[in-house]
């Protein structure tokens, strides 16, 4: 990821497009798919991010300006969210449940890092 947010994701070069760039860039097209063939882990992350962006946009309806939008998206990113295998996980069995506490902590940290960075980038696009 191209991020300064602390987390387990490997840092990517600023010159390359990462999964968050791709999720934002293709958001409109992705939400119109009636079905989506999952070919690997990146597709699963793309689906997760598409759902998260949709959630962000819904919450941003309450934002009056960039500062309030920043607060809304920051709070959303920090909210407790279900992991694969937990009650409330929106993607069913498309992503395998973590095996053990260490893997669970790593998955939660990665998803939290994705959520925070996505909110930051989305805010810049919405208030450009």
């Amino acid at each position: 990821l191209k991020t300064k947010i602390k987390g387990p994701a490997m840092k990517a070069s600023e010159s390359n497009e990462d999964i968050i760039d791709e999720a934002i860039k293709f958001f409109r097209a992705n939400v119109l798919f009636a079905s989506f063939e999952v070919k690997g882990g990146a597709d699963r992350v793309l689906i997760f991010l598409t759902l998260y962006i949709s959630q962000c946009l819904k919450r941003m309806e309450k934002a009056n300006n960039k500062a309030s939008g920043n607060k809304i998206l920051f709070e959303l990113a920090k909210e407790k969210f279900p992991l694969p295998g937990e009650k409330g996980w929106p993607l069913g069995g498309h992503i395998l449940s973590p095996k053990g506490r260490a893997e669970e902590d790593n998955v939660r940290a990665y998803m939290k890092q994705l959520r925070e960075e996505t909110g930051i980038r989305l805010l810049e696009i919405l208030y450009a």
Side-chain angles (χ1 to χ4, degrees):
L1 295 180
K2 298 183 303 190
T3 184
K4 293 180 176 85
I5 305 293
K6 185 178 175 186
M10 293 178 13
K11 305 290 185 239
S13 167
E14 289 293 322
S15 62
N16 294 332
E17 188 173 86
D18 67 5
I19 191 73
I20 295 173
D21 293 329
E22 186 177 339
I24 292 170
K25 182 177 176 180
F26 295 113
F27 175 76
R28 283 186 183 167
N30 287 339
V31 296
L32 296 176
F33 280 126
S35 62
F36 184 83
E37 184 182 350
V38 178
K39 295 181 182 176
D43 288 338
R44 291 176 178 89
V45 174
L46 189 61
I47 293 168
F48 171 78
L49 287 173
T50 300
L51 289 174
Y52 183 68
I53 291 167
S54 178
Q55 191 177 16
C56 288
L57 294 174
K58 182 71 177 157
R59 294 274 180 103
M60 287 297 290
E61 289 176 354
K62 300 173 187 171
N64 299 323
N65 54 42
K66 188 174 181 178
S68 67
N70 187 43
K71 183 177 184 208
I72 289 168
L73 292 181
F74 180 78
E75 289 172 357
L76 178 60
K78 297 292 185 181
E79 282 180 10
K80 185 165 172 52
F81 56 93
L83 291 177
E86 293 180 347
K87 184 179 179 185
W89 174 248
L91 298 176
H94 290 288
I95 299 177
L96 298 175
S97 301
K99 294 171 180 55
R101 182 65 179 180
E103 188 174 328
E104 182 179 315
D105 290 343
N106 194 43
V107 168
R108 185 171 304 280
Y110 178 66
M111 290 182 165
K112 184 174 174 281
Q113 187 179 15
L114 284 171
R115 290 165 59 108
E116 287 182 46
E117 184 63 30
T118 300
I120 290 168
R121 294 192 204 173
L122 200 54
L123 190 68
E124 292 305 314
I125 292 168
L126 294 173
Y127 288 95

